Amino acid sequence: MNAQIRQTAANEWEIPRGFVPGMRVPGRFFLSKNLAETLEDGALTQLANVATLPGIIRCSLGMPDIHWGYGFPIGGVGAFDAETGVISPGGVGFDINCGVRMITTPLHVSDIPDMPGLIEDLFTAVPTGVGSKSPCRLSQQDLTGMLENGAKHAVMMGYGTERDILRCEENGAMDGAQPEHVSKKARQRGIPQCGTLGSGNHFLEIQTVDKIEDQETADLFGVTEGQICVMIHCGSRGLGHQVCTDHLQILEQAVHTYGIELPDRQLACAPLSSPEGEAYFGAMAASANYAWANRQIITHIVRELFVKKFRIEYEEMPLVYDVAHNVAKWEEHDVNGVRQNVCVHRKGATRAFGPGRRELPHEFQGCGQPVIIPGSMGTPSYLLAGTKGAMEKTFGSTCHGSGRVQSRSSAKKSQTGEEVARALLAQGIVVRAPNQAAIAEEAPEVYKSSSEVVRTVHDAGISRIIARLRPLGVIKG
DNA sequence: ATGTGC
């Protein structure tokens, strides 16, 4: 560990002010001894850079899956004061509201004798890969509806149930969406892509619950051992990417307009209260809503396939929860003992609200929200719960996944897609992707261990492990 | 992440 970094608890570290010039607050991050060697110098510097931004509250935060990203590190959290703070696309990420949802089924492993067949059918039903095209013909009006009302609009169109909405963070639609700040170009990319999985680390996975660590909370979440589940990981596709690109350009100018000094151009931002900052927030919220609609439509496609194939009822595949990984949101938090409305940026980080938060459905008031942490291809995913500790230490946030440790190009050099797929099949995991390179780039070896990341946040008390899920079949984008 | 890069 860098000599300037101070250890403050078993898995907790502090970057002191002065690590980079202009830090207004310290940086803090969570990392176990085993993960220490995965920490990149660049990510550490980025975490310190975030602490220089105007109006940042208490500290910049890094989760154990931290790695180098655009401006902010991935696995980064920053909360900003409503009056003096800024909003930054680099603190949200290009894939606005990249997120993950988990659906349970009444099936067990023995009910799916032909996993390759199921995966093939799902691969055909859910458009996958770069530039894949939508299964639904979306009108301009429906696109606007999705930008304004997210998953609610998708349900209104017939893609899901009223109950689904209650099981999405923000009820599947953020307040403050302003479709008028989503460019025509972004809309053009969004229309043909809604209901598509995308590429990279996005996936659709068939899993089984193989270990319950907290039976009481698992019961509340509706999860039982041996059950087959579906996990969907995707975001706002080309639309969110275009919104980020468009507004970065505007905010790079705003940096000069408002005389903001930045250690890195990629931290382009504007005051939360400025027209430029408000425009980005409105467009970002609209993109987040599009992503919720996207995951909702994919959920519907999967349910229809299961209903037909396994002769079950649509309602027998309830949504456990849907969480956002890349978003900035207004939330109330305690700041120096005062309840304050702050703008929390989570980039590659998950909300982990503990018991008693009014945003949560009544059934989760006592146990905290479900937190879904996807593993890499072939490694376990986890269902966690939010905690009081997260409210106190991390503005109600935890990790989002495993975190890449090897570049895509390097991954392709070390193994071919065929080799990776064969190794996974030997472990009983079926993999399907549009091309072999996609599989090589996502080999389990290129990621930090999801188990180690999850263990770290559990031990630090910023979420707690409820159940572990083992992959059986994976569709990669 | 991304109709993937100047």
Side-chain angles (χ1 to χ4, degrees), chain A residues 22-56:
Chain A
M23 284 173 74
R24 295 163 196 261
V25 292
R28 293 199 186 117
F29 58 95
F30 297 84
L31 209 62
S32 68
K33 210 174 159 189
N34 289 340
L35 288 169
E37 62 189 35
T38 68
L39 181 62
E40 308 150 301
D41 288 341
L44 203 58
T45 304
Q46 287 187 321
L47 193 57
N49 288 344
V50 173
T52 71
L53 293 175
I56 185 158

Side-chain angles (χ1 to χ4, degrees), chain A residues 4 42 66 125 130 205 258 271-272 379 409 412 450 453-454 472:
Chain A
Q4 289 182 64
I66 188 168
V130 180
E205 205 164 272
Y258 299 102
L272 279 156
T379 65
S409 54
K412 276 184 283 194
S450 55
V453 168
V454 161
L472 301 171

Side-chain angles (χ1 to χ4, degrees), chain A residues 89-360:
Chain A
V92 171
F94 272 81
D95 189 6
I96 297 164
N97 191 3
C98 177
V100 58
R101 59 166 55 187
M102 182 180 156
I103 303 136
T104 58
T105 76
L107 307 172
H108 287 74
V109 182
S110 57
D111 295 318
I112 310 181
D114 180 19
M115 187 57 71
L118 172 61
I119 291 297
E120 200 56 38
D121 288 348
L122 283 165
F123 186 79
T124 307
V126 180
T128 300
V130 180
S132 54
K133 291 288 161 59
S134 177
C136 37
R137 284 182 196 279
L138 203 64
S139 67
Q140 288 289 346
Q141 288 80 354
D142 277 328
L143 177 64
T144 304
M146 285 178 183
L147 294 172
E148 282 171 350
N149 297 313
K152 294 175 188 175
H153 191 82
V155 169
M156 203 195 79
M157 289 175 75
Y159 300 112
T161 67
E162 289 293 326
R163 187 192 173 283
D164 292 339
I165 291 164
L166 303 173
R167 290 304 185 96
C168 292
E169 191 171 316
E170 301 291 319
N171 289 332
M174 268 176 79
D175 285 338
Q178 297 183 80
E180 61 272 32
H181 291 300
V182 174
S183 69
K184 198 178 168 191
K185 198 171 173 185
R187 293 182 67 104
Q188 277 170 351
R189 291 178 71 173
I191 288 231
Q193 288 185 333
C194 112
T196 66
L197 195 64
S199 67
N201 68 6
H202 290 164
F203 67 73
L204 191 159
E205 205 164 272
I206 306 299
Q207 309 170 339
T208 179
V209 180
D210 77 337
K211 194 179 178 194
I212 302 260
E213 296 216 12
D214 177 338
Q215 189 64 55
E216 196 183 328
T217 308
D219 289 344
L220 286 165
F221 289 176
V223 171
T224 58
E225 196 161 338
Q227 180 178 39
I228 293 287
C229 296
V230 182
M231 196 171 277
I232 297 167
H233 179 204
C234 65
S236 51
R237 309 285 286 105
L239 181 138
H241 189 275
Q242 190 64 47
V243 163
C244 183
T245 305
D246 293 340
H247 285 265
L248 269 173
Q249 207 176 5
I250 298 166
L251 295 186
E252 276 172 14
Q253 292 306 309
V255 166
H256 298 296
T257 308
Y258 299 102
I260 301 168
E261 274 188 54
L262 295 178
D264 178 356
R265 249 188 84 177
Q266 294 185 352
L267 290 171
C269 59
L272 279 156
S273 56
S274 67
E276 295 91 336
E278 285 184 352
Y280 170 66
F281 188 93
M284 182 237 8
S287 307
N289 294 347
Y290 174 90
W292 271 307
N294 192 31
R295 291 197 284 275
Q296 188 63 44
I297 293 169
I298 294 172
T299 302
H300 176 76
I301 295 170
V302 172
R303 282 177 175 154
E304 288 221 304
L305 195 144
F306 270 68
V307 164
K308 208 171 139 194
K309 205 172 166 79
F310 300 107
R311 301 178 186 283
I312 60 173
E313 298 295 323
Y314 192 95
E315 290 72 21
E316 288 183 286
M317 293 183 68
L319 180 60
V320 174
Y321 210 59
D322 177 308
V323 295
H325 284 160
N326 281 8
V327 81
K329 297 204 295 199
W330 287 108
E331 293 171 359
E332 265 188 21
H333 288 280
D334 277 327
V335 182
N336 301 322
V338 181
R339 205 78 176 148
Q340 213 177 301
N341 210 21
V342 302
C343 183
V344 182
H345 290 60
R346 294 193 184 93
K347 186 208 200 162
T350 314
R351 197 186 73 176
F353 279 1
R357 285 291 299 213
R358 61 175 163 77
E359 291 90 340
L360 306 185

Side-chain angles (χ1 to χ4, degrees), chain A residues 120 381 437 443 458:
Chain A
E120 200 56 38
S381 294
H458 176 93

